[in-house]
Amino acid sequence: RPFVEIDQVSMRYGGAEGTLALRDATLSVARGEFVAVVGPSGCGKSTLMKLVSGLWPSSAGSVIVGGQEVDRPLPMVGMAFQNPTLLPWRTILANVMLPLEVVEPHRRRLRAERAAYEAKARQLLAMVGLAGFEGKYPYQLSGGMQQRASLCRALIHDPQLLMLDEPFGALDIFTREDLWAQLQEVCLTLKPTVILVTHDLKEAVYLADRVLVMSSRPGRILAERRVPFPRPRR
Ligand code: ADP
Ligand code: ADP
């Protein structure tokens, strides 16, 4: 059974007369698969991500993750968006630890194993080149560094599903390509199922096993291509 099952999902913002942002989107993602969704601005990519993340209820259709109907953000999901949204009054380490504090059952685990989780946060930060920045505040870091920290925050609770909505969109091409390699390393190590939204086809082909193309009007999945080069696996 696929790990993520999106069946005939539609989304209309603002009632019957509102914008149809997504129409009959159907998509299955296998456990451990990395799928990229590409398409022009406004085609419904972010809407699809919000529905699968449980941040917004769909108007029609069903979303099932790990056999569970998504009706709220599930604790097994990690998310990172274009805007790093780090809390300015918290250190980088405390920002990375945040998902553990706000969602059960992670809260309970955090109380029992704070030292282990803190070690894990440090390890993730080191993996993306942020060793030594744990005690700094977001304003003390560059945009790219904040983006990397937000990726660590998405990974701290070992998510089985990683939802990435343009996580590198605001970065220059050098920083971005550097982060691709770091994300690939993370995926080889932790093997999450990943759905990545991007408007960068090169990024999609570099990272994903499968690329979906969405059309702008009105929010449909148009085509699907398996990336011909298998990604390295361990
Ligand atoms: P993408 O991520 O591909 O740029 P979105 O999913 O953000 O696309 O948007 C799809 C469509 O839905 C667009 O026409 C957008 O204007 C509309 N839309 C997105 N979010 C909202 C919202 N909160 N309220 C009303 N309309 C929205
Ligand atoms: P970005 O493209 O990530 O926004 P910047 O041009 O701001 O990058 O910074 C480039 C590099 O300079 C960063 O990747 C980092 O190694 C270093 N750097 C930036 N800000 C700081 C800081 N506050 N303290 C230490 N090093 C920094």
Side-chain angles (χ1 to χ4, degrees):
R1 178 174 186 175
F3 189 62
V4 180
E5 300 167 272
I6 300 164
D7 189 31
Q8 297 274 313
V9 166
S10 298
M11 179 66 196
R12 193 183 282 282
Y13 289 102
E17 305 294 300
T19 314
L20 185 62
L22 204 62
R23 192 168 87 179
D24 297 337
T26 295
L27 164 65
S28 295
V29 184
R31 189 179 283 276
E33 194 180 17
F34 194 132
V35 168
V37 180
V38 300
S41 189
C43 73
K45 304 184 295 297
S46 295
T47 299
L48 182 66
M49 297 296 273
K50 280 182 207 156
L51 301 183
V52 177
S53 303
L55 297 175
W56 214 309
S58 61
S59 311
S62 79
V63 180
I64 295 172
V65 173
Q68 209 176 327
E69 182 85 40
V70 175
D71 53 3
R72 68 202 150 89
L74 301 179
M76 66 172 116
V77 179
M79 307 170 205
F81 307 114
Q82 176 156 14
N83 184 334
T85 62
L86 300 176
L87 298 176
W89 56 85
R90 283 189 156 221
T91 63
I92 295 302
L93 186 72
N95 265 289
V96 172
M97 304 276 283
L98 187 67
L100 300 169
E101 294 171 27
V102 294
V103 192
E104 291 294 358
H106 305 305
R107 278 160 83 139
R108 228 170 309 126
R109 287 192 203 136
L110 181 66
R111 280 198 292 275
E113 310 171 60
R114 176 169 283 277
Y117 276 116
E118 215 170 282
K120 182 156 186 251
R122 289 176 191 281
Q123 187 191 342
L124 283 169
L125 285 166
M127 193 151 66
V128 299
L130 287 178
F133 289 89
E134 297 85 354
K136 297 261 193 261
Y137 287 85
Y139 74 90
Q140 295 176 297
L141 271 61
S142 73
M145 296 161 101
Q146 291 185 36
Q147 201 70 260
R148 280 180 257 178
S150 82
L151 190 59
C152 295
R153 181 182 55 188
L155 290 164
I156 187 68
H157 57 301
D158 279 324
Q160 295 178 55
L161 176 63
L162 189 55
M163 302 294 291
L164 304 175
D165 191 349
E166 298 269 11
F168 316 129
L171 306 178
D172 67 90
I173 186 66
F174 304 105
T175 312
R176 212 183 314 158
E177 295 201 353
D178 185 33
L179 272 182
W180 294 352
Q182 287 168 2
L183 176 61
Q184 207 166 45
E185 184 62 31
V186 164
C187 289
L188 288 169
T189 314
L190 305 175
K191 300 190 168 58
T193 305
V194 188
I195 303 181
L196 165 77
V197 156
T198 178
H199 54 238
D200 182 347
L201 195 53
K202 186 177 166 202
E203 176 172 301
V205 170
Y206 183 93
L207 287 169
D209 300 310
R210 191 151 56 101
V211 179
L212 302 176
V213 183
M214 288 181 69
S215 85
S216 53
R217 248 160 226 277
R220 299 193 86 157
I221 295 173
L222 266 190
E224 179 176 324
R225 292 282 179 275
R226 204 157 274 285
V227 176
F229 312 102
R231 291 183 301 128
R233 296 212 178 260
R234 258 182 226 149

